[in-house]
């Protein structure tokens, strides 16, 4: 069975533990980068990460963008959405289909 985990600050991610998601609390890009590598090496299929931390470790996340697993998915943290997660979804769709079909570029 695949594992699901989340990386973020304590306030943003602690509630995910109640639904069975493994929680990795991190307050710095360095700690988030290490958690991401450890989770990928440990066979996590889905890794959620708060947008603020994902912006700090974009280069590390990019290493996983062309592989099937793990799927690294930015989510809003306690400060609300920054738009980074939506931009990443748009880029992934554009890579997959060749144009931006989500936001009007695929006419």
């Amino acid at each position: 069975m695949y594992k699901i985990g989340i990386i973020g600050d304590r306030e943003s991610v602690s509630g995910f533990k109640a639904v069975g998601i493994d929680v990795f609390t991190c307050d710095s890009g360095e700690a988030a980068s290490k958690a991401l590598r450890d989770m990928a090496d440990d066979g996590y299929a889905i890794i959620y990460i708060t947008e603020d931390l994902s912006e700090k470790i974009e280069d590390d996340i990019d290493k996983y963008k062309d592989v099937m697993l793990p799927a690294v998915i930015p989510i809003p943290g306690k400060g609300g959405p920054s738009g980074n997660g939506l931009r990443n979804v748009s880029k992934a769709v554009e890579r997959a289909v060749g144009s931006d079909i989500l936001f009007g570029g695929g006419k």
Side-chain angles (χ1 to χ4, degrees):
M1 186 193 290
Y2 291 115
K3 296 188 270 186
I4 301 173
I6 186 166
I7 302 169
D9 62 274
R10 184 173 314 282
E11 191 175 333
S12 296
V13 301
S14 60
F16 287 89
K17 198 177 275 190
V19 294
I21 295 177
D22 295 336
V23 172
F24 296 81
T25 50
C26 301
D27 291 319
S28 70
E30 185 176 300
S33 180
K34 181 180 180 337
L36 177 64
R37 283 191 312 272
D38 290 348
M39 292 169 76
D41 291 345
D42 198 25
Y44 279 78
I46 301 172
I47 302 171
Y48 295 104
I49 182 168
T50 57
E51 287 179 332
D52 60 327
L53 285 176
S54 72
E55 291 170 2
K56 293 178 182 178
I57 63 167
E58 284 185 27
D59 291 339
D60 295 311
I61 292 171
D62 283 347
K63 295 175 186 173
Y64 302 103
K65 72 179 179 184
D66 292 325
V67 297
M68 184 174 289
L69 297 176
V72 182
I73 304 166
I75 61 169
K78 66 182 176 189
S82 69
N84 190 39
L86 190 56
R87 279 190 300 276
N88 287 338
V89 168
S90 178
K91 282 192 248 178
V93 169
E94 190 169 350
R95 271 196 323 272
V97 299
S99 67
D100 181 6
I101 62 171
L102 294 178
F103 300 107
K107 293 183 178 182

